[in-house]
Amino acid sequence: MLESRIIEIDGTFLGTVILEADRQTRRFYATHDSVRAFHNHTLKGHDDVALQVARLYRRAHADARMTARAK
């Protein structure tokens, strides 16, 4: 690991984007259950995974609120 960047949305730590040895590839290490689908996901762009992870987290968070209200 050469460098890493924390992904945090609305105060919740979701995981880390890790720069691989080739200095081109970034890998997402998921720590929050709502974004496990992206664990070990690799990409070449810089912010693509952060945007995708944020979208997935916010969707899961909204779904949980809707479910809680329905009860």
Side-chain angles (χ1 to χ4, degrees):
M1 174 181 71
L2 298 175
E3 92 185 33
S4 64
R5 185 171 57 105
I6 291 172
I7 304 293
E8 180 182 344
I9 306 295
D10 301 333
T12 302
F13 177 64
L14 302 177
T16 305
V17 176
I18 300 168
L19 182 63
E20 297 286 314
D22 66 2
R23 294 198 172 271
Q24 299 293 316
T25 306
R26 287 167 173 76
R27 180 177 308 277
F28 179 67
Y29 186 90
T31 58
H32 196 274
D33 285 339
S34 68
V35 295
R36 284 277 179 227
F38 282 111
H39 182 68
N40 254 350
H41 183 78
T42 60
L43 64 150
K44 297 287 183 181
H46 185 67
D47 287 328
D48 294 344
V49 77
L51 295 173
Q52 293 172 11
V53 166
R55 189 176 308 125
L56 183 61
Y57 170 75
R58 288 189 174 124
R59 185 179 314 132
H61 198 65
D63 289 347
R65 280 186 297 195
M66 295 281 283
T67 301
R69 285 185 201 163
K71 290 182 180 183

